[in-house]
Amino acid sequence: MASAVDGLKQRFMDMSQPDADGVYRNGPAKRKARTDLAVSCLKELWGQALDAVPFRVPDGGIGLAAVGSLARGQVGPSSDLDLVIIYDSHALNDEQLNMLANKLWYPLWDSGLDLDHSIRTRAQCEAVTDSDLPAAMGWLDVLPLAGDTGLIEETSNSILTRWRKAARKRLPELLDSAKKRFDEFGLMAYVNQPDIKEARGGLRDSVLVSALATSWLADRPHGTYDDAVERLLDVRDAIHLTARKDTNLLLAPYQPQVATMMGLADPTWPQAERDAKAIDDLQTTLAGLGRRIAFALDSTASRAEHSLVHEKPRFAFFQMFQPRAGGKREAPQFDVIAPGIAKHEGEIVLAPGADPTKDPNLALRAGVASGEFELPVNPGTLLNLKRCPIRDSVWDDEARSLFIRLLATGPALLNTWEELDYVNLPGRWMPEWLGIRNRPSASAAHRYTIDRHMVEAVSRLGRESPSGGRYDDDHYAALLLAGILHDLGKRPGVTDHAAEGARHVPYILRRMGYGPRIIEWATLLVREHLTLSEYATGRDPNDPAVGHELAAVVGNDPVLLDMLFDLTRADGSSLGATPGEAITKRYGWSKWRAAIVGQMYAAAREAIR
């Protein structure tokens, strides 16, 4: 007898194909159709299983439910099915339960789909979701399929009630899980081959947003946020269709076809150029989606945390007898740390009375405060900073000083810059930034996009020089500016990105009002940022002529040589390779590379002496 789920994976794939022009359209409708098909087949499979076992399965006390993507109506062309049999202990004995389960699980395995399955009582479901955060996330959406649907709904409602009661205690755990994923998978907007489920801004974050909203601690965004989630699900569907398996990794071999399915391939271009441009556009699209989802999580989490703070009275009993509070709840306390900028409840916010529409430097002050105090900028404050009257050609001494302080915040710059870039502030300070924003790198050595790589490099530039001294203000400013601009020339059709970047640097820095010496040094560093590595891998450091030749590149200036070494090290060590990725002798900052670059640096220093 044929099973109700025979060939279900292939049926999913067949009903999910793109249109004749290769574009995947009507994603929400296709997800609904797959969900309806899965529900129908699983209900029929349940009936077949009941008929196949040699005992009577009672109408009450046992049922089949779906959780995860199927319960959310988001099942993909190759998604696994998360199913659970819920039962009362008196309904069937263990042998009967196993026999019934086998009649369900084996046909599903044969159908080609992956299966995540379990058999639990209501009490076991509650215990698992109380102790296992991922399980709790999955159980916030439950779809009764067959059998005793009343039992399933009672179990689901019980878990939901327990989640809401425990949400205040579990909020830190939930937010910590998001941070751990970020540390492991990175930010979707910045990874060349992202995991669109686990990376920050991915589909897992959308589940956390729903979990926060379900807890009643905070409402979630709607409108453009919902559109972003649906569009990212379209990308997930395209990955499934391309890979023909359940995966969320957007690997390089999949990217041309996924970009085509997303409607990003221009058929009027030759194939090679078409693929390259479409992949660039796909990365830009993913960055926008990921940022919108990540911002939704941040803003929802911020409101949830604030709701916990404000549930508690801000006064003690004895404050009722103090005239300062007048026996009433005290007003929020703002710690003003810069003109128009304050700290409040662990975030950077606008100080009372600050008017973004009249202060072009307010955004820079907020960024500096965020980096130096290592605190996030409040999501509402970020949106307000968009109103600052920023003009890329109007910079005063304060703005130039703040920009250097921002770049000098070290590792904290990574999060701060991302927050500012979400509302496109860097693109308003330097319009040229938009040319490389979210662009994937063509080099296999780069894990991150071009813009993220440059921010990573800057975050590694300290004030201590490799020769043991400290850079003065002007030299350090030039080094930081070179770091944030060194790969600016990586644009389509450019063969020498260092020379192309150096061509733009003087125009950018003159427009910003930096002095001639800073502009000269930064331009040289951008133009020569590959030179030390190239000498190290292709020349003999023991040849005195080579040392003199390299010294001449920096005008026999030992400080500029130190700066070039620091930029080379920061550039090579910020490619983003993870422990599972090989750093070859040609790329990255391996021990071998550090040694040969150090030898060449020493040869040039000796020549200068």
Side-chain angles (χ1 to χ4, degrees):
M1 176 181 174
S3 167
V5 295
D6 279 353
L8 186 55
K9 178 179 178 179
Q10 188 59 50
R11 292 155 74 182
F12 277 174
M13 295 290 283
D14 291 343
M15 67 192 303
S16 306
Q17 292 302 308
D19 294 346
D21 59 358
V23 178
Y24 182 80
R25 296 184 177 90
N26 302 317
K30 288 177 179 175
R31 284 185 283 279
K32 184 180 185 305
R34 287 192 295 267
T35 299
D36 291 345
L37 175 62
V39 169
S40 173
C41 290
L42 289 168
K43 286 181 176 180
E44 186 177 348
L45 178 65
W46 176 264
Q48 291 178 342
L50 265 57
D51 292 339
V53 294
F55 52 86
R56 180 182 176 277
V57 177
D59 295 332
I62 187 168
L64 178 66
V67 295
S69 62
L70 179 56
R72 292 190 296 272
Q74 296 178 346
V75 66
S78 292
S79 290
D80 64 347
L81 298 182
D82 296 321
L83 302 178
V84 58
I85 295 174
I86 303 176
Y87 71 101
D88 286 334
S89 56
H90 60 76
L92 295 175
N93 61 40
D94 289 346
E95 182 181 357
Q96 291 171 329
L97 272 173
N98 288 331
M99 190 177 300
L100 175 63
N102 288 338
K103 297 298 182 182
L104 296 169
W105 307 153
Y106 277 98
L108 284 165
W109 285 322
D110 292 340
S111 75
L113 288 171
D114 293 330
L115 178 64
D116 188 355
H117 60 88
S118 59
I119 306 172
R120 293 195 176 104
T121 64
R122 170 176 165 170
Q124 289 171 336
C125 290
E126 292 170 344
V128 168
T129 54
D130 284 348
S131 60
D132 186 336
L133 185 65
M137 296 297 98
W139 268 90
L140 295 180
D141 294 285
V142 181
L143 178 64
L145 294 172
D148 189 349
T149 57
L151 172 64
I152 296 169
E153 289 171 353
E154 289 173 7
T155 304
S156 174
N157 291 336
S158 172
I159 290 171
L160 188 57
T161 299
R162 297 164 77 92
W163 169 255
R164 286 172 176 153
K165 287 181 178 179
R168 286 153 180 77
K169 294 181 179 179
R170 301 195 75 173
L171 179 60
E173 180 189 4
L174 188 149
L175 299 181
D176 186 57
S177 73
K179 183 182 182 302
K180 288 179 179 177
R181 281 189 297 103
F182 177 36
D183 292 340
E184 180 177 358
F185 295 97
L187 190 71
M188 191 167 68
Y190 290 148
V191 180
N192 284 327
Q193 299 183 84
D195 185 319
I196 68 162
K197 180 178 181 180
E198 302 295 350
R200 176 154 165 77
L203 294 170
R204 183 77 72 185
D205 279 356
S206 70
V207 175
L208 294 190
V209 170
S210 296
L212 286 169
T214 302
S215 72
W216 291 347
L217 292 176
D219 192 14
R220 70 170 183 83
H222 298 276
T224 57
Y225 166 73
D226 291 326
D227 293 341
V229 174
E230 290 294 340
R231 186 64 170 162
L232 190 56
L233 286 167
D234 287 348
V235 175
R236 187 279 316 268
D237 291 355
I239 296 174
H240 283 192
L241 291 170
T242 301
R244 299 191 65 81
K245 63 181 180 180
D246 181 18
T247 178
N248 298 291
L249 278 172
L250 184 55
L251 299 177
Y254 304 157
Q255 290 177 5
Q257 189 170 343
V258 171
T260 297
M261 289 190 198
M262 292 298 99
L264 301 173
D266 185 343
T268 65
W269 286 61
Q271 187 67 49
E273 290 89 338
R274 181 194 314 169
D275 288 350
K277 186 178 185 304
I279 291 171
D280 279 359
D281 291 343
L282 176 62
Q283 186 72 46
T284 302
T285 298
L286 281 177
L289 300 176
R291 282 188 166 124
R292 197 172 301 162
I293 293 170
F295 184 79
L297 176 58
D298 287 345
S299 58
T300 306
S302 176
R303 288 193 296 273
E305 289 180 307
H306 287 192
S307 73
L308 296 186
V309 170
H310 296 304
E311 281 180 348
K312 303 172 184 177
R314 287 200 183 88
F315 57 91
F317 173 78
F318 293 104
Q319 284 181 311
M320 291 190 293
F321 302 101
Q322 296 176 356
R324 180 169 63 88
K328 300 178 181 178
R329 181 184 173 101
E330 289 189 37
Q333 298 298 309
F334 292 89
D335 181 8
V336 178
I337 54 178
I341 301 298
K343 291 190 295 180
H344 175 61
E345 295 179 359
E347 293 180 324
I348 300 300
V349 300
L350 296 184
D355 186 352
T357 64
K358 297 180 179 179
D359 191 345
N361 293 340
L362 195 61
L364 281 167
R365 282 191 225 109
V368 169
S370 172
E372 291 182 348
F373 286 91
E374 298 188 22
L375 294 174
V377 181
N378 174 272
T381 296
L382 272 179
L383 296 177
N384 273 323
L385 292 176
K386 292 174 65 176
R387 302 160 59 205
C388 290
I390 297 170
R391 293 177 58 193
D392 63 273
S393 59
V394 179
W395 288 71
D396 56 19
D397 289 342
E398 183 196 21
R400 285 186 288 274
S401 174
L402 287 169
F403 191 63
I404 298 302
R405 283 175 62 188
L406 174 63
L407 297 180
T409 53
L413 178 66
L414 298 172
N415 290 335
T416 298
W417 191 275
E418 162 56 20
E419 290 177 336
L420 299 174
D421 202 33
Y422 174 76
V423 290
N424 192 31
L425 291 171
R428 294 173 65 190
W429 294 325
M430 300 180 297
E432 292 83 359
W433 184 259
L434 301 177
I436 49 84
R437 187 179 187 233
N438 306 322
R439 279 184 55 82
S441 176
S443 170
H446 284 259
R447 183 184 184 213
Y448 297 121
T449 54
I450 297 168
D451 55 339
R452 176 67 170 194
H453 163 67
M454 292 200 292
V455 178
E456 287 266 359
V458 177
S459 74
R460 297 164 190 251
L461 293 171
R463 193 138 194 171
E464 301 290 332
S465 73
S467 59
R470 280 177 62 83
Y471 296 119
D472 62 33
D473 289 348
D474 283 357
H475 282 95
Y476 190 43
L479 178 60
L480 293 170
L481 291 167
I484 201 63
L485 297 172
H486 76 276
D487 274 351
L488 194 70
K490 284 189 172 180
R491 299 162 186 263
V494 172
T495 55
D496 186 343
H497 75 271
E500 178 66 12
R503 188 172 69 84
H504 287 276
V505 170
Y507 293 97
I508 297 170
L509 298 187
R510 275 199 295 268
R511 189 178 65 227
M512 297 170 78
Y514 288 101
R517 290 196 311 168
I518 291 177
I519 295 173
E520 178 187 349
W521 296 333
T523 302
L524 182 146
L525 291 172
V526 171
R527 184 176 64 245
E528 306 296 343
H529 76 270
L530 300 175
T531 301
L532 188 52
S533 287
E534 291 170 348
Y535 268 70
T537 53
R539 307 293 292 275
D540 181 4
N542 297 313
D543 183 348
V546 171
H548 284 285
E549 187 178 323
L550 179 57
V553 169
V554 294
N556 292 295
D557 185 330
V559 179
L560 279 179
L561 180 63
D562 282 353
M563 294 164 71
L564 183 61
F565 177 85
D566 272 341
L567 182 58
T568 302
R569 178 171 54 189
D571 185 22
S573 64
S574 60
L575 296 180
T578 61
E581 296 172 319
I583 300 181
T584 67
K585 289 185 176 182
R586 186 176 177 189
Y587 299 116
W589 197 250
S590 60
K591 292 181 179 179
W592 175 86
R593 192 171 191 81
I596 63 170
V597 170
Q599 290 172 0
M600 190 58 69
Y601 162 77
R605 282 199 67 84
E606 180 62 28
I608 291 174
R609 277 196 295 268

